[in-house]
DNA sequence: TTTATTTGTGCAAACGTGTGCACACATTAC
DNA sequence: GTAATGTGTGCACACGTTTGCACAAATAAA
């Protein structure tokens, strides 16, 4: 009942293990006849090469390490779906670790993954991460890294992101055209790439329509909405302003949900008092009350593209001269939460 | 810059690899002095045993294979969170595969995972699966299996489930007490364990309150709601009945969402025309329109418990005489979608 | 016939760890 | 003085695969 090995085949056919090994991969100079015999026997007894042994020789594991902040997050869950899809069809498996927005955990996860000799890394940085030296080291010691979603420009490698600036630009323009004039923006930690890009799109739209950019309308949640107190604080600070906003644009799944819940808890009418839209990959924003206008990222696609690029790096060994920055489109889905018929 | 090995340490300290190996695990008879020297050197040069080499010897990989239907599903994403939590803290990693409710894919995933020599398996069966022979084989050849959520009683092993019957029982009782008399039940494939248990709870409640159990009020979705046509067909069939239901109890995340969306599309008032409640682990059912009454499973807990039990099996080697069936409580969260003030 | 070339196969080492056994040395017992 | 016991260390092989090299046999060239 034990798994059949190359040695078993060799004994059974009265050959050496080297011949069997070479016959199986049709390499070197092995006679047609021997190849046939070996392959038949292997097929018959359902031979599967031992991956640990292969790994030990090649110092590879046919595995990809993934670092992201949390699995139970609509966006990342979809990304994982895409990653698994491409990885599985190329016979790699994925090892998923969660940073929970903590720099320290991210560091620890990286160490664990390298220890497990993953062949490559797919990373979305934690909110706390400023220093990316650890990833640079990983790369320079031979483990390629591809960043997605929350990326860094301090490391030369492939990156895959959504068109964040365009997303917030279009969201903001939509709000303006719906009649909103005092648009606030609640976003993630100021150091992560997505926050900067999303802020830029928001500002660009305001300027284009000659609306003032007010510091007090821009709020940061240093843990991306994972800590609801942070979102609550942001919302509170907006609501006590002399001129309260008439719209809020949120920059992540969790922030959107939390913000929505808080406005409802305070009995603020959406969109009557405050219009609301934001980034969200929830499966059913149309069922909300009111149905939520969302900026939806191509999460599944992002996972697929990032994994494809990583596999290229892994299998080419040598790092290419110029790296790619893939930018995927964001979809604006207009629903009730931003349609102000009463204006 | 290469990783330091046991051989490196041996050479540096003028010892044999065996001595170093034994010193590192404080085993056998190695003098205090030598142990100290070795451990110091190992710590200084940040020695990490090569897991592939260890795995090759021990035929283990310190990894756990997971088979479930889909990652981007609120319930399973939370379960994965729990699995990862326990696995990581015991220095195991998890390899996640998706069956997408297909028996064939489940079979294929299992084969891949065994090939990767996982030390154990955490499985939630696909909707299509009737024959579980493949898992029995895996177990009898030394890879322990723990089933969660969708389990089978055809294999003797640990299982972890929610208290499904009690969940639907309480949900149904709640609907009855809200004034509903014609309660329909849309559930998953009839062969999966959760469907049977949930159906049983529903029937028990009806009988206890002397309401008739009508075949035409019980609908099955053979792919657990993944195919929205199936849910649409079920809802349609309910709506063309002479006596249309005044409540629907749905049995899975996807079915709940799809059903909700279809009722809204048809402008059916919830709960006025039809009250709705169902199993759901969405993060924000309170934001729905109307806020959704849900049966929430302890998904994170389920992942933790299942992984704990699996690790026991893995580390004890010998299968225990009697296996555990852990049953976790389900929470009924009452919200607007079932509150019929107008009755 | 000898020498080169081709073709197919096997030997042995390697990847990094773990472990049964033997061995050297020291101590104790008779 | 010999035998038994105890203590610490190293040898050698194993896990399953890959691969450089050698080598035997067959064929071709000189």
């Amino acid at each position: 009942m034990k798994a059949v090995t190359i040695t078993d085949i060799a004994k059974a056919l009265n050959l050496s293990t080297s011949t069997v090994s070479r016959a199986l991969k049709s390499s070197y100079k092995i006679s047609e006849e021997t190849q046939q015999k070996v392959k038949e026997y292997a097929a018959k007894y359902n031979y599967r090469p031992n991956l640990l042994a292969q790994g030990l020789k090649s110092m590879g594991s046919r595995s990809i390490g993934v670092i992201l902040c949390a699995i139970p997050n609509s966006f990342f869950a979809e990304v994982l779906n895409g990653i698994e899809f491409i990885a599985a069809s190329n016979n790699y498996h994925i090892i998923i670790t969660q940073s929970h927005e903590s720099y320290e955990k991210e560091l620890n996860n990286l160490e664990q993954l390298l220890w497990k000799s993953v062949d490559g890394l797919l990373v979305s940085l934690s909110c706390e991460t400023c220093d990316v030296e650890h990833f640079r080291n990983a790369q320079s010691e031979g483990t390629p890294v591809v960043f997605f979603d929350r990326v860094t420009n301090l490391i030369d490698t492939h990156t895959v992101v959504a068109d964040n600036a365009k997303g917030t630009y279009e969201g903001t323009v939509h709000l303006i055209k719906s009649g909103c004039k005092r648009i606030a923006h609640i976003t993630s930690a100021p150091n992560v790439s997505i926050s900067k890009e999303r802020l830029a799109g928001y500002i660009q739209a305001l300027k284009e329509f000659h609306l003032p950019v007010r510091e007090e309308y821009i709020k940061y949640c240093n843990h991306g909405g994972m800590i609801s107190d942070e979102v609550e604080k942001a919302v509170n600070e907006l609501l006590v302003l002399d001129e309260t906003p008439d719209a809020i644009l949120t920059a992540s799944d969790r922030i959107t949900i939390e913000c929505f819940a808080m406005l409802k808890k305070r009995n603020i009418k959406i969109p009557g008092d405050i219009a609301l839209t934001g980034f969200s990959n929830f499966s059913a924003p149309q069922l909300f009350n009111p149905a939520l206008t969302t900026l939806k990222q191509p999460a599944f696609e992002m996972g697929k593209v990032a994994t494809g690029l990583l596999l290229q790096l892994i299998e080419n060994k040598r790092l290419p001269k110029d790296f790619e920055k893939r930018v995927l489109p964001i979809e604006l889905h207009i629903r009730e939460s931003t349609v102000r018929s009463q204006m």
Side-chain angles (χ1 to χ4, degrees), chain A:
Chain A
M1 270 304 132
K2 298 293 304 170
V4 45
T5 76
I6 250 180
T7 322
D8 298 333
I9 304 184
K11 275 183 191 152
L13 299 182
N14 222 350
L15 291 167
S16 73
T17 58
S18 25
T19 306
V20 175
S21 172
R22 290 195 261 250
L24 284 171
K25 40 185 49 169
S26 321
S27 82
Y28 218 55
K29 305 170 283 185
I30 300 292
S31 68
E32 278 299 330
E33 195 193 339
T34 311
Q35 285 200 31
Q36 183 108 11
K37 253 197 319 189
V38 170
K39 283 176 184 167
E40 263 174 23
Y41 191 96
K44 182 172 168 197
Y45 290 91
N46 201 27
Y47 167 75
R48 291 267 176 284
N50 181 313
L51 294 175
L52 288 108
Q54 281 187 329
L56 181 57
K57 280 300 287 186
S58 64
M59 283 304 141
S61 56
R62 290 202 83 79
S63 68
I64 293 174
V66 182
I67 304 179
L68 40 70
C69 57
I71 302 174
N73 169 311
S74 331
F75 170 68
F76 286 114
E78 269 296 349
V79 173
L80 283 174
N81 193 9
I83 293 176
E84 201 266 343
F85 184 77
I86 298 295
S89 60
N90 284 276
N91 245 305
Y92 279 76
H93 66 261
I94 58 178
I95 304 181
I96 301 172
T97 63
Q98 309 185 73
S99 71
H100 295 295
E101 306 291 15
S102 149
Y103 171 68
E104 203 176 337
K105 282 196 184 131
E106 181 180 287
L107 219 56
N108 193 259
N109 290 343
L110 175 64
E111 201 182 345
Q112 295 289 320
L113 290 173
L114 290 177
W115 185 14
K116 296 188 168 132
S117 18
V118 294
D119 298 332
L121 290 161
L122 290 173
V123 179
S124 182
L125 295 168
S126 95
C127 270
E128 279 183 14
T129 305
C130 293
D131 180 12
V132 293
E133 210 46 34
H134 44 305
F135 291 115
R136 192 200 308 284
N137 289 339
Q139 180 169 273
S140 67
E141 298 198 6
T143 307
V145 186
V146 169
F147 290 95
F148 66 93
D149 187 46
R150 299 157 175 197
V151 304
T152 173
N153 51 21
L154 298 176
I155 294 183
D156 245 16
T157 187
H158 295 318
T159 53
V160 185
V161 292
D163 197 344
N164 291 301
K166 192 168 175 208
T168 40
Y169 173 81
E170 289 184 355
T172 310
V173 168
H174 163 67
L175 288 169
I176 296 172
K177 289 192 173 166
S178 293
C180 303
K181 297 204 157 29
R182 303 183 305 280
I183 302 169
H185 181 41
I186 306 181
T187 188
S188 281
N191 50 302
V192 301
S193 61
I194 51 173
S195 297
K196 291 175 192 158
E197 294 169 16
R198 290 171 189 177
L199 183 62
Y202 158 81
I203 291 177
Q204 187 197 342
L206 292 184
K207 287 191 173 161
E208 234 166 66
F209 284 80
H210 308 294
L211 290 173
V213 176
R214 301 182 175 189
E215 276 303 319
E216 68 269 28
Y217 280 180
I218 300 170
K219 297 292 177 192
Y220 297 96
C221 297
N222 284 326
H223 293 82
M226 258 193 35
I227 299 175
S228 61
D229 286 353
E230 287 185 354
V231 185
E232 183 156 22
K233 182 160 170 286
V235 173
N236 279 341
E237 288 176 2
L238 290 175
L239 295 180
V240 297
L241 291 175
D242 284 345
E243 284 195 296
T244 58
D246 57 6
I248 300 180
L249 175 68
T250 51
S252 88
D253 244 320
R254 297 307 253 265
I255 297 177
T256 306
I257 286 289
E258 295 284 349
C259 185
F260 198 160
M262 279 160 196
L263 293 182
K264 288 193 78 166
K265 204 170 74 184
R266 282 171 182 67
N267 282 318
I268 292 169
K269 291 201 191 76
I270 309 173
D273 299 332
I274 296 182
L276 178 66
T277 182
F279 278 74
S280 175
N281 278 61
F282 270 104
S283 46
Q286 75 279 10
L287 301 182
F288 280 24
N289 179 24
L292 182 63
T293 296
T294 56
L295 290 161
K296 187 170 185 181
Q297 301 188 70
F300 183 67
E301 189 69 16
M302 190 179 289
K304 288 201 293 183
V305 172
T307 312
L309 289 172
L310 180 62
L311 289 179
Q312 276 182 26
L313 292 182
I314 292 175
E315 315 213 314
N316 284 353
K317 286 294 173 202
R318 280 259 55 73
L319 295 181
K321 266 286 160 295
D322 38 329
F323 289 101
E324 289 187 50
K325 173 165 190 156
R326 294 279 182 91
V327 180
L328 308 179
I330 285 179
E331 291 169 12
L332 171 64
H333 292 275
I334 298 175
R335 300 196 185 86
E336 298 164 15
S337 72
T338 54
V339 176
R340 316 185 71 175
S341 47
Q342 71 275 36
M343 294 290 301

